[in-house]
């Protein structure tokens, strides 16, 4: 292990030397004293895919309590699509570097950092700025990667599995013999939910997904329904009383449907609102439509029916509510499950930084099974080198939900 650590440290030093020799995008070689530069995905303004570009930025240096990480892979999530559109509460100012999770190698330590060494393989949460060659983030958001976990798997691990674990075990108190309904069962969180449910005896998992995904994910859930079908009646046909837990990332009309399916003492958890995203850019029509479709919650009705309604936002829990210590404990449990080979991240595809537009389009089309990953060291394919998605503009009010795209020609991708 000591030998491996020395080798990793040497590799890191070589990478640092290599970075120091890079030329700036404009203005020739870097002069002595100039800040080192890195490649990063930059969102110039909120809107469509043409607002994204890869450009050079000054490389960050770790502050007290932070780690500097040479990024190998970054995770893409549906929340990143909503950030790009400005479809979130209190969005930050642009230009900005998107992304909330990554994996890589520790390159430098800020003052007072303990428990990590240069050369350590790590995965981390980042409060934006993850889609870059180098990131700095507080040590409390960084976790060591198991020896047999790849960088792409590590970038697919934190957001999906922590979200799934927190909802199932911390909020809903999943126990033996319970039943769970999860939407978007083929996505990263959906697959994490299915795997975690399998660690508890006799848990029944109902999943909804587009029909073209069914063959690939049919063995991960107990009952699988087309997302466009009347899943409420399908669930009640199998379980007359409904289910114990509903995990909803869609919102809109699915909120009322989910509440109607809850058994007494059941828990409905909202953790996303993808129904508000239809076109490529933010649509106030879609937002208003989803808002008015949400069933107004009556506390007296909840009291009479013994039902629980909850919300979950991992990013708010981490970066606004300062629960990093709680999340670290959850990560320890998840890594034990990974090391016991009970869970494993599902990676849909790998993309170069320059292919971020195509990768985001795949998320928008709900074409992924598992997690999309930006591989920082991957070269873009010639097919995508001409920035083919720059002029792609979906209609503001176009209903382009998952399941409506089954016959659409899909963007090619690299495994």
């Amino acid at each position: 292990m000591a030998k491996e650590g020395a080798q990793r440290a040497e590799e890191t030093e070589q990478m640092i030397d290599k970075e120091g020799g890079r030329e700036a995008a404009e203005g020739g070689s870097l002069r002595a004293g100039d800040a080192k530069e890195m490649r990063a995905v930059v969102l110039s303004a909120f809107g469509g895919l043409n607002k994204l570009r890869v450009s050079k930025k000054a490389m960050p240096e770790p502050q007290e309590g932070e780690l500097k990480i040479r990024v190998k892979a970054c995770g893409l999530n549906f929340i990143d699509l909503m950030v790009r559109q400005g479809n979130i509460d209190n969005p930050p100012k642009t230009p900005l570097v998107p992304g909330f999770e990554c994996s890589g190698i520790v390159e430098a330590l800020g003052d007072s950092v303990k428990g990590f060494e240069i050369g350590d393989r790590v995965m981390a949460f980042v409060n934006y700025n993850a889609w870059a060659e180098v990131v700095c983030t507080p040590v409390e958001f960084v976790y060591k990667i198991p020896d047999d976990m790849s960088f792409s798997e590590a970038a697919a691990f934190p957001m999906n599995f922590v979200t799934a674990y927190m909802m199932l075990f911390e909020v809903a108190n999943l126990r033996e013999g319970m039943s769970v309904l999860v939407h978007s069962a083929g996505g990263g969180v959906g697959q994490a939910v299915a795997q975690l449910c399998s660690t508890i005896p006799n848990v029944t998992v109902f999943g909804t997904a587009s029909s073209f995904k069914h063959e690939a994910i049919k063995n991960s859930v107990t009952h699988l329904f087309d997302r466009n079908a009347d899943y409420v009646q399908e669930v009640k046909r199998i379980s007359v009383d409904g289910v114990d837990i509903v995990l909803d990332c869609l919102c809109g009309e699915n909120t009322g449907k989910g509440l109607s399916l809850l058994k007494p003492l059941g828990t409905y958890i909202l953790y996303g609102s993808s129904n508000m995203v239809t076109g490529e850019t933010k649509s106030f029509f879609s937002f208003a439509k989803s808002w008015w479709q949400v069933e107004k919650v009556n506390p007296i009705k909840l009291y009479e029916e013994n039902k629980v309604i909850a919300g979950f936002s991992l990013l708010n829990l981490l970066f606004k509510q300062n629960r990093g210590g709680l999340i670290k404990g959850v990560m320890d449990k998840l890594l034990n499950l990974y090391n016991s080979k009970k869970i494993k991240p599902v990676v849909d595809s790998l993309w170069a930084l320059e292919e971020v537009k195509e990768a985001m389009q795949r998320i928008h089309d709900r074409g992924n099974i598992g997690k999309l990953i930006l591989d920082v060291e991957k070269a873009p394919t010639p097919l995508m080198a001409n920035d083919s998605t720059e002029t792609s503009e979906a209609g503001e009010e176009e209903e382009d939900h998952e399941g409506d795209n089954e016959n659409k020609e899909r963007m090619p991708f690299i495994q």
Side-chain angles (χ1 to χ4, degrees), residues 99-257:
F100 298 102
E101 62 183 337
C102 65
S103 63
I105 298 174
V106 175
E107 190 168 274
L109 308 175
D111 292 341
S112 74
V113 170
K114 297 180 180 179
F116 291 90
E117 298 179 356
I118 292 176
D120 282 346
R121 300 169 70 247
V122 296
M123 53 187 159
F125 291 109
V126 187
N127 193 8
Y128 292 95
N129 298 307
W131 296 355
E133 289 183 313
V134 173
V135 301
C136 292
T137 193
V139 66
E140 65 177 316
F141 302 139
V142 183
Y143 318 92
K144 292 182 181 179
I145 300 174
D147 291 339
D148 60 344
M149 181 183 282
S150 68
F151 285 115
S152 58
E153 287 180 329
F157 195 84
M159 286 279 286
N160 290 348
F161 276 97
V162 171
T163 296
Y165 187 97
M166 290 292 294
M167 291 192 299
L168 289 172
F169 298 106
E170 298 291 335
V171 181
N173 193 22
L174 178 66
R175 301 183 301 281
E176 181 176 354
M178 281 188 166
S179 54
V180 179
L181 168 65
V182 59
H183 293 296
S184 299
V189 174
Q191 286 294 287
V193 166
Q195 291 185 30
L196 288 171
C197 285
S198 70
T199 67
I200 305 298
N202 302 318
V203 171
T204 301
V205 181
F206 298 89
T208 70
S210 298
S211 59
F212 72 88
K213 298 183 180 182
H214 285 201
E215 183 62 29
I217 67 173
K218 64 182 181 181
N219 294 326
S220 64
V221 298
T222 316
H223 304 285
L224 187 58
F225 312 119
D226 189 288
R227 71 174 304 277
N228 293 318
D230 186 356
Y231 63 85
V232 173
Q233 293 306 313
E234 291 293 326
V235 171
K236 287 188 174 180
R237 182 178 58 83
I238 298 168
S239 177
V240 176
D241 293 334
V243 297
D244 296 292
I245 301 169
V246 173
L247 305 178
D248 182 10
C249 59
L250 304 177
C251 197
E253 63 180 353
N254 293 281
T255 299
K257 292 179 178 180

Side-chain angles (χ1 to χ4, degrees), residues 17-33:
D17 293 339
K18 183 178 179 181
E19 284 298 317
R22 287 191 176 184
E23 292 188 348
E26 301 175 359
S29 59
L30 294 172
R31 297 183 299 275

Side-chain angles (χ1 to χ4, degrees), residues 37-142:
E37 291 190 329
M38 64 175 184
R39 291 159 55 237
V41 175
V42 175
L43 178 66
S44 60
F46 298 118
L49 294 170
N50 61 347
K51 304 300 183 183
L52 291 166
R53 68 179 188 276
V54 175
S55 61
K56 290 290 185 72
K57 287 183 65 67
M59 187 183 300
E61 294 300 330
Q63 304 300 308
E64 182 175 1
E66 291 186 340
L67 291 173
K68 180 180 180 181
I69 301 171
R70 175 66 57 173
V71 177
K72 295 289 188 176
C74 320
L76 278 79
N77 300 282
F78 201 88
I79 186 65
D80 297 312
L81 191 155
M82 298 182 72
V83 167
R84 193 201 76 216
Q85 294 185 348
N87 207 358
I88 58 173
D89 288 336
N90 300 315
K93 292 182 179 180
T94 56
L96 61 85
V97 176
F100 298 102
E101 62 183 337
C102 65
S103 63
I105 298 174
V106 175
E107 190 168 274
L109 308 175
D111 292 341
S112 74
V113 170
K114 297 180 180 179
F116 291 90
E117 298 179 356
I118 292 176
D120 282 346
R121 300 169 70 247
V122 296
M123 53 187 159
F125 291 109
V126 187
N127 193 8
Y128 292 95
N129 298 307
W131 296 355
E133 289 183 313
V134 173
V135 301
C136 292
T137 193
V139 66
E140 65 177 316
F141 302 139
V142 183

